[in-house]
Amino acid sequence: MIDLSRSPLEVAPLLLGAVLRHGEVALELTEVEAYLGPDDPASHAFRGPTARTQVMFGPPGHLYVYLSYGVHLAANLVCAPDGTAGAVLLRSGRVVDGAVVARRRREGARRPGSAPVPDVELARGPGNLGRALGLVIEDSGAVVGQSPHGPREPGFALADGRSGQVELACGPRVGVSLAHEVDWRFWIPAEPSVSRYARSPRAPRG
């Protein structure tokens, strides 16, 4: 089992290769980003708890789900000790079970007549990952149980998978304008489901 009471910087690399299941769909996590709460100006918890971010200050092992850019639902796994905000953004994954369901969810949000979504893109990027899992905003605060088998249940289950046994790379986080220079994004090298790096145009240079 992954000790989610540790710092997001310690937990994030361990999540690579782990399998997150929600009902019929399971993803092998291939890209994540660590956010350190009040010590991290890019974190939603930087200014303290709010009605939306309160879950990040609670016990580890819960989901923090938020609406990104008013369009996409993004999932974060809350970690760090109870009372200390911290979370890992689940950026990308590779669908390992339930691909038909994940594809239906992804393509249901696309324009009619669009080309089919390639397998490697079903859960590439936080919004696509959330859609493939069938997330709703009410999932924020849901418990993520840890199971060696990841049972087919309505809730969320995290299984170790290849956790701790994969090569990894690290680099700057995607699209953040504050604390943009820290190498707190982790991914599996050469994994095609990993998203492309995009520097925020608002991030200072030099």
Side-chain angles (χ1 to χ4, degrees):
M1 294 177 63
I2 300 172
D3 182 1
L4 300 179
S5 68
R6 298 161 67 182
S7 162
L9 283 175
E10 297 178 82
V11 173
L14 298 178
L15 290 174
L16 294 176
V19 175
L20 178 66
R21 177 180 288 278
H22 183 211
E24 297 177 272
V25 177
L27 308 173
E28 180 186 67
L29 299 173
T30 60
E31 181 187 13
V32 297
E33 287 179 341
Y35 288 86
L36 268 59
D39 298 322
D40 180 0
S43 170
H44 289 181
F46 180 63
R47 300 188 185 278
T50 65
R52 182 180 72 162
T53 64
Q54 183 65 48
V55 63
M56 296 177 70
F57 291 81
H62 291 71
L63 280 185
Y64 165 52
V65 179
Y66 69 92
L67 191 62
S68 177
Y69 300 105
V71 178
H72 307 294
L73 289 172
N76 300 256
L77 185 57
V78 175
C79 45
D82 189 1
T84 304
V88 176
L89 172 65
L90 310 181
R91 280 204 58 85
S92 295
R94 180 174 65 88
V95 177
V96 294
D97 194 17
V100 172
V101 176
R103 183 178 302 281
R104 183 169 65 243
R105 290 169 175 163
R106 281 291 321 277
E107 296 184 349
R110 291 161 60 89
R111 294 178 180 178
S114 299
V117 179
D119 288 350
V120 297
E121 296 181 11
L122 287 174
R124 178 193 284 168
N128 292 332
L129 183 149
R131 186 170 290 115
L133 284 176
L135 291 183
V136 294
I137 196 67
E138 290 78 13
D139 288 323
S140 194
V143 175
V144 180
Q146 294 198 57
S147 165
H149 305 296
R152 289 174 175 263
E153 297 176 351
F156 296 86
L158 182 70
D160 280 357
R162 296 187 293 164
S163 181
Q165 302 176 26
V166 298
E167 294 184 23
L168 62 87
C170 65
R173 294 176 294 188
V174 175
V176 297
S177 58
L178 299 171
H180 62 282
E181 72 285 356
V182 294
D183 292 337
W184 291 352
R185 179 170 68 101
F186 303 88
W187 67 93
I188 298 176
E191 167 56 51
S193 64
V194 172
S195 67
R196 295 179 181 178
Y197 172 71
R199 178 189 174 96
S200 169
R202 296 174 295 155
R205 295 183 179 274

